[in-house]
Amino acid sequence: MAPTDPHDVTPTVIDSRERRAWAYLAAVAEPPAASIARLVDAVGVRDAARAVRSRRFPDGHQAVARSTASRHHLVDPDQDLLVVDRLGGRLITADDEDWPAWALHGLSTAETSARGGPPLALWTRGPGSIEGATERAVALVGSRAATGYGTRMTAVLTNGLVDRGRCVISGGAYGIDGAAHRAALAAGGDTMAVMACGLDIDYPTDHGLLFDEIARVGTIVTEYPPGMTASRHRFLARNRLVAALSKAVVVVEAGHRSGAKNTAAWARRLGVPLGAVPGPATSAMSVGCHALISDGDAVLVGDVAGLERLVAPDGSDALSSTPAERGETDPFEARVAAALGTRGGVTLAEIARACDADTGRVRSTLARMEVHGRALSDGATWGPPPR
Amino acid sequence: MAPTDPHDVTPTVIDSRERRAWAYLAAVAEPPAASIARLVDAVGVRDAARAVRSRRFPDGHQAVARSTASRHHLVDPDQDLLVVDRLGGRLITADDEDWPAWALHGLSTAETSARGGPPLALWTRGPGSIEGATERAVALVGSRAATGYGTRMTAVLTNGLVDRGRCVISGGAYGIDGAAHRAALAAGGDTMAVMACGLDIDYPTDHGLLFDEIARVGTIVTEYPPGMTASRHRFLARNRLVAALSKAVVVVEAGHRSGAKNTAAWARRLGVPLGAVPGPATSAMSVGCHALISDGDAVLVGDVAGLERLVAPDGSDALSSTPAERGETDPFEARVAAALGTRGGVTLAEIARACDADTGRVRSTLARMEVHGRALSDGATWGPPPR
């Protein structure tokens, strides 16, 4: 058993010295802490932790003294690791195989590191591989005050992404974020929530059950140690991780001053393809999206096909197309189509009965069919597309 | 009295020989007839008409023989002029002061003339100056199968254009076209309908009263002589005139195969600024607009301020701003604002009563206030903006 491999740590085992050093350094300064990263690079993680604790810093690393001044005697790495362990979580660092090094690389340039470099470590919950998820991740972000239209577009895009085997990343917030996570879970897909607080804190509180569900099948990730609460500057720092960990960022709805525009700015800075969903010009929640498109900052994304073109303009990164796109007929979809009849007006429950299938599967199939114009809903019932 | 001046022709007077020659040539070949334009340039209008009638063409002008073969003995210019005269209309040509020479100049380039050059003549109804109108014209075009959203956006943009003293050009069709003309008339503004048939034909038939109303205060214009019915290729030829006569073209709604995209292509070809209004990504009637924006062919236009930036990026061509934009308070608007109260829930009739004004004026003021975020409607009643 290699004691530094987080997958082999059993719940009650005291972590290795390296891991305790990482946990200490990850909590002793407000992330992102570039000065600590430089110290670790220079002397290694255990000596770096020792230097901070003993307040004896190597020449040229006095910045660490300032960034750790208020917390160096308060941090208890054993306690933090235990709290996260009890949540079924773990700490991963550049020493771990699962570290998403390539995705985070963009945060190390001169421009991006000045505004917040890569995280020193990530605290995560969930069964999946972070690196694996980021290789097929698309972020859907947007206003907390989402409209029905925005929520619906989030579900439509999420269903399409899940169909293609993508991981849907968002920030766990109210509105578009929550809609994205929920739609991904409902469609049986992968989703990742990037948080602006410790893993032991549910922010927003109402999303506690949602976070538990995400952690059960997907991933929750944060650079903040246990106990650290969400705050405005942490939302902004979190947004850079959402953009960095994604192959593309799509703003579904954003008001004039939405935080989603900050995530969008990070995507631009990192060279991550940025999309925005158009909406009614009369909707205040589409103003931010329209501004991003007008200003040439974002590509207009109206459907999942457009989203895939954004991720992979030449189809190189396309993961998997739907059966229909491959020119095949999905047998289950054919049954659902038959259940729609020619006149429509059929409820979800009726279709599920006719197909002898559970409503979840039927709902996700209908959503995909709707995206591709092969089914139409009036909100209450379903039918075939017009003509 | 100068007999060639159309303004001086009384209803029963036989027109001058030049005018009869123009009327003959304008009807003897399917417009646009570049070969006839070249013949007129070469020999003058009266000799050109004589050549066509006698079938004796100068060297190098044999193309005229072909384009006039089927109609040369059928056209009766006196009759055409009489029909138009009875409608209160007239024929204008490059000989007239009101000829929009500058606007039509773009149709004379190598690329555009190959696809349909400038019109030889224009048959028009209405009191206004065509050239004057084109100097301040913006075209709003779109699908005949407009949605409620599209109709509403057309009204919002039209109200803003009328506020700024612009002429709203469209094609007189169902849907967006009709909504643009109606909104302009309702707001007491100027509007121009460019038709794909003779002035004596109402196409669509249901719009007969609308055309009469447009002709009463605005302009109806066509290059087709009386009796000529609308047809597919005439719609396409008409679209080039809509684009040429406008300072900017905005597609409000367009389906996947909407004719509005043809007008948009003409705008691109002519270098006329092109805008498109975004809409719900779920709306089939916004697909064409989103494609124009995505492909970089059109600028996203979400409100009348964006539309004005499209027409005049540096404000150079801005005609007149609203009183509020000039930093003034419109006294009537101030009365309407007072009538809205602080809680809202006031009907149009109640506001009109409170302001001692007719509902038409109140409606147009409310529309302008709504565009600028100074009034809010729930569909039934009006109130002040939120907060």
Side-chain angles (χ1 to χ4, degrees), chain A residues 149 152-153 278-282 290 293-294 300 302, chain B residues 149 152-153 278-282 290 293-294 300 302:
Chain A
Y149 167 71
R152 186 174 155 75
M153 280 307 298
T282 44
H290 293 160
I293 296 168
S294 285
L300 184 152
Chain B
Y149 167 71
R152 186 174 154 77
M153 280 307 298
T282 44
H290 293 159
I293 296 166
S294 286
L300 185 152

Short mmCIF file of all heavy atoms in Angstrom, two decimals, chain A residues 149 152-153 278-282 290 293-294 300 302, chain B residues 149 152-153 278-282 290 293-294 300 302:
data_model
loop_
_atom_site.label_atom_id
_atom_site.label_comp_id
_atom_site.label_asym_id
_atom_site.label_seq_id
_atom_site.Cartn_x
_atom_site.Cartn_y
_atom_site.Cartn_z
N TYR A 149 -37.40 30.19 -19.23
CA TYR A 149 -36.72 29.95 -20.50
C TYR A 149 -35.28 29.50 -20.27
O TYR A 149 -34.80 28.53 -20.88
CB TYR A 149 -36.75 31.21 -21.36
CG TYR A 149 -35.83 31.16 -22.55
CD1 TYR A 149 -36.12 30.33 -23.63
CD2 TYR A 149 -34.66 31.91 -22.58
CE1 TYR A 149 -35.26 30.26 -24.72
CE2 TYR A 149 -33.80 31.85 -23.66
CZ TYR A 149 -34.10 31.02 -24.72
OH TYR A 149 -33.24 30.95 -25.80
N ARG A 152 -35.12 26.03 -18.91
CA ARG A 152 -35.45 25.08 -19.96
C ARG A 152 -34.28 24.89 -20.93
O ARG A 152 -33.93 23.77 -21.30
CB ARG A 152 -36.66 25.63 -20.72
CG ARG A 152 -37.23 24.73 -21.75
CD ARG A 152 -38.52 25.38 -22.30
NE ARG A 152 -38.78 24.89 -23.63
CZ ARG A 152 -39.26 23.68 -23.89
NH1 ARG A 152 -39.52 22.85 -22.91
NH2 ARG A 152 -39.46 23.30 -25.14
N MET A 153 -33.64 25.99 -21.34
CA MET A 153 -32.49 25.88 -22.25
C MET A 153 -31.34 25.14 -21.58
O MET A 153 -30.62 24.38 -22.23
CB MET A 153 -32.02 27.28 -22.68
CG MET A 153 -32.85 27.89 -23.79
SD MET A 153 -33.02 26.82 -25.26
CE MET A 153 -31.30 26.69 -25.79
N PRO A 278 -28.72 32.89 -26.87
CA PRO A 278 -29.57 34.06 -27.10
C PRO A 278 -30.92 33.83 -26.43
O PRO A 278 -31.29 32.70 -26.11
CB PRO A 278 -29.73 34.08 -28.61
CG PRO A 278 -29.65 32.64 -29.01
CD PRO A 278 -28.66 32.00 -28.05
N GLY A 279 -31.63 34.89 -26.22
CA GLY A 279 -32.97 34.79 -25.64
C GLY A 279 -33.79 35.96 -26.13
O GLY A 279 -33.33 36.75 -26.96
N PRO A 280 -35.00 36.08 -25.60
CA PRO A 280 -35.82 37.22 -26.02
C PRO A 280 -35.08 38.53 -25.73
O PRO A 280 -34.52 38.69 -24.65
CB PRO A 280 -37.07 37.09 -25.13
CG PRO A 280 -37.09 35.66 -24.70
CD PRO A 280 -35.67 35.23 -24.60
N ALA A 281 -35.08 39.42 -26.70
CA ALA A 281 -34.40 40.71 -26.51
C ALA A 281 -35.08 41.52 -25.41
O ALA A 281 -34.51 42.46 -24.89
CB ALA A 281 -34.39 41.49 -27.82
N THR A 282 -36.30 41.12 -25.07
CA THR A 282 -37.05 41.81 -24.02
C THR A 282 -36.72 41.28 -22.62
O THR A 282 -37.22 41.80 -21.63
CB THR A 282 -38.56 41.61 -24.26
OG1 THR A 282 -38.78 40.23 -24.59
CG2 THR A 282 -39.05 42.48 -25.40
N HIS A 290 -26.48 38.63 -24.72
CA HIS A 290 -26.48 39.38 -25.98
C HIS A 290 -25.27 40.30 -26.06
O HIS A 290 -24.69 40.48 -27.13
CB HIS A 290 -27.80 40.15 -26.12
CG HIS A 290 -28.98 39.24 -26.30
ND1 HIS A 290 -30.27 39.62 -26.06
CD2 HIS A 290 -29.06 37.94 -26.70
CE1 HIS A 290 -31.09 38.61 -26.30
NE2 HIS A 290 -30.37 37.58 -26.68
N ILE A 293 -22.27 38.28 -27.06
CA ILE A 293 -22.31 37.94 -28.49
C ILE A 293 -22.01 39.19 -29.33
O ILE A 293 -21.18 39.16 -30.24
CB ILE A 293 -23.69 37.34 -28.87
CG1 ILE A 293 -23.92 36.02 -28.14
CG2 ILE A 293 -23.79 37.14 -30.38
CD1 ILE A 293 -25.36 35.50 -28.21
N SER A 294 -22.68 40.29 -29.00
CA SER A 294 -22.49 41.54 -29.75
C SER A 294 -21.03 41.98 -29.74
O SER A 294 -20.52 42.46 -30.74
CB SER A 294 -23.30 42.67 -29.12
OG SER A 294 -24.65 42.54 -29.41
N LEU A 300 -22.63 32.65 -30.46
CA LEU A 300 -24.03 32.35 -30.20
C LEU A 300 -24.23 30.83 -30.22
O LEU A 300 -23.88 30.17 -31.19
CB LEU A 300 -24.90 33.02 -31.27
CG LEU A 300 -26.41 32.91 -31.14
CD1 LEU A 300 -27.08 34.12 -31.78
CD2 LEU A 300 -26.95 31.64 -31.78
N GLY A 302 -27.21 28.11 -29.85
CA GLY A 302 -28.65 27.95 -29.80
C GLY A 302 -29.10 26.53 -29.54
O GLY A 302 -30.24 26.28 -29.19
N TYR B 149 -43.84 37.25 -30.15
CA TYR B 149 -42.58 37.90 -29.76
C TYR B 149 -42.03 38.75 -30.90
O TYR B 149 -41.63 39.89 -30.71
CB TYR B 149 -41.57 36.83 -29.34
CG TYR B 149 -40.16 37.35 -29.23
CD1 TYR B 149 -39.79 38.22 -28.20
CD2 TYR B 149 -39.18 37.02 -30.18
CE1 TYR B 149 -38.51 38.72 -28.10
CE2 TYR B 149 -37.90 37.53 -30.08
CZ TYR B 149 -37.56 38.37 -29.04
OH TYR B 149 -36.29 38.88 -28.96
N ARG B 152 -44.06 41.83 -31.41
CA ARG B 152 -43.80 42.77 -30.33
C ARG B 152 -42.46 43.48 -30.52
O ARG B 152 -42.36 44.70 -30.37
CB ARG B 152 -43.80 41.98 -29.02
CG ARG B 152 -43.68 42.81 -27.80
CD ARG B 152 -43.83 41.90 -26.57
NE ARG B 152 -43.15 42.50 -25.44
CZ ARG B 152 -43.65 43.50 -24.75
NH1 ARG B 152 -44.81 43.99 -25.05
NH2 ARG B 152 -42.96 44.01 -23.74
N MET B 153 -41.43 42.72 -30.88
CA MET B 153 -40.11 43.33 -31.11
C MET B 153 -40.17 44.30 -32.29
O MET B 153 -39.51 45.34 -32.28
CB MET B 153 -39.05 42.24 -31.36
CG MET B 153 -38.52 41.56 -30.12
SD MET B 153 -37.89 42.70 -28.86
CE MET B 153 -36.53 43.50 -29.74
N PRO B 278 -32.15 38.74 -31.80
CA PRO B 278 -32.12 37.41 -31.19
C PRO B 278 -33.49 37.07 -30.62
O PRO B 278 -34.31 37.95 -30.40
CB PRO B 278 -31.10 37.56 -30.07
CG PRO B 278 -31.24 38.99 -29.65
CD PRO B 278 -31.55 39.76 -30.92
N GLY B 279 -33.72 35.81 -30.40
CA GLY B 279 -34.96 35.37 -29.80
C GLY B 279 -34.73 34.09 -29.05
O GLY B 279 -33.58 33.63 -28.95
N PRO B 280 -35.80 33.50 -28.53
CA PRO B 280 -35.62 32.23 -27.82
C PRO B 280 -34.95 31.21 -28.75
O PRO B 280 -35.34 31.08 -29.91
CB PRO B 280 -37.05 31.80 -27.48
CG PRO B 280 -37.86 33.07 -27.55
CD PRO B 280 -37.19 33.93 -28.58
N ALA B 281 -33.94 30.52 -28.25
CA ALA B 281 -33.25 29.51 -29.06
C ALA B 281 -34.20 28.37 -29.41
O ALA B 281 -33.93 27.59 -30.32
CB ALA B 281 -32.04 28.98 -28.31
N THR B 282 -35.31 28.28 -28.69
CA THR B 282 -36.30 27.23 -28.94
C THR B 282 -37.29 27.63 -30.03
O THR B 282 -38.13 26.83 -30.42
CB THR B 282 -37.09 26.95 -27.65
OG1 THR B 282 -37.43 28.20 -27.05
CG2 THR B 282 -36.26 26.15 -26.67
N HIS B 290 -30.50 33.80 -35.71
CA HIS B 290 -29.34 33.28 -34.98
C HIS B 290 -28.25 32.83 -35.94
O HIS B 290 -27.06 33.00 -35.68
CB HIS B 290 -29.76 32.16 -34.03
CG HIS B 290 -30.64 32.64 -32.92
ND1 HIS B 290 -31.48 31.82 -32.20
CD2 HIS B 290 -30.82 33.88 -32.41
CE1 HIS B 290 -32.12 32.53 -31.30
NE2 HIS B 290 -31.74 33.79 -31.41
N ILE B 293 -26.39 35.85 -37.17
CA ILE B 293 -25.48 36.37 -36.14
C ILE B 293 -24.29 35.43 -35.99
O ILE B 293 -23.14 35.86 -35.98
CB ILE B 293 -26.22 36.52 -34.79
CG1 ILE B 293 -27.33 37.58 -34.91
CG2 ILE B 293 -25.24 36.90 -33.68
CD1 ILE B 293 -28.33 37.58 -33.74
N SER B 294 -24.55 34.13 -35.88
CA SER B 294 -23.48 33.14 -35.71
C SER B 294 -22.47 33.20 -36.84
O SER B 294 -21.26 33.08 -36.62
CB SER B 294 -24.06 31.72 -35.71
OG SER B 294 -24.71 31.46 -34.53
N LEU B 300 -25.98 41.52 -33.83
CA LEU B 300 -27.11 41.30 -32.93
C LEU B 300 -27.72 42.65 -32.55
O LEU B 300 -27.03 43.55 -32.07
CB LEU B 300 -26.62 40.56 -31.68
CG LEU B 300 -27.66 40.12 -30.66
CD1 LEU B 300 -27.18 38.88 -29.92
CD2 LEU B 300 -27.97 41.22 -29.67
N GLY B 302 -30.68 44.16 -30.23
CA GLY B 302 -31.64 43.82 -29.19
C GLY B 302 -32.57 44.96 -28.84
O GLY B 302 -33.59 44.75 -28.20
#
